[in-house]
Amino acid sequence: ADESSGYESESAGGERAGAAAAGATRGRQRRARTAFTSEQVCRLEKTFQRQKYLGATERRKLAAALHLSEIQIKTWFQNRRMKLKRQI
């Protein structure tokens, strides 16, 4: 019952709520954040400058070339488009 997610509302719910919240997250671990190398980021940025959206074929080729999964490429492009949107 000593575990906590760091949310204040969890401790406000009392002992039982804290234990239930800790038990719910114990079964599943979050995936570690991908640490892209500088070469990968450089290639991703260059590709992004040419085209903001990748089709399945381009995504597959880029993933193979950078030794990343297609989902990592897809997520990186989604995040990069959101970053661009915030900058504008």
Side-chain angles (χ1 to χ4, degrees):
D2 203 20
E3 297 175 30
S4 174
S5 65
Y7 289 102
E8 292 179 32
S9 62
E10 192 175 279
S11 60
E15 190 76 23
R16 199 179 75 205
T25 58
R26 195 172 290 138
R28 282 184 284 141
Q29 290 285 332
R30 283 186 69 178
R31 222 172 77 60
R33 183 176 177 186
T34 303
F36 294 103
T37 65
S38 56
E39 292 82 13
Q40 288 171 329
V41 173
C42 185
R43 177 84 181 269
L44 287 163
E45 286 288 351
K46 283 181 184 178
T47 306
F48 184 78
Q49 293 305 316
R50 278 187 269 118
Q51 51 188 126
K52 307 295 184 243
Y53 292 86
L54 290 182
T57 306
E58 293 104 342
R59 187 171 58 237
R60 199 172 305 117
K61 287 179 183 176
L62 188 58
L66 297 178
H67 306 291
L68 296 169
S69 72
E70 290 184 52
I71 294 172
Q72 288 171 314
I73 300 293
K74 180 180 174 182
T75 303
W76 188 92
F77 268 79
Q78 287 174 338
N79 290 339
R80 187 61 182 83
R81 287 191 298 268
M82 289 307 295
K83 180 179 178 179
L84 179 64
K85 187 176 176 181
R86 281 193 308 271
Q87 289 172 339
I88 295 173

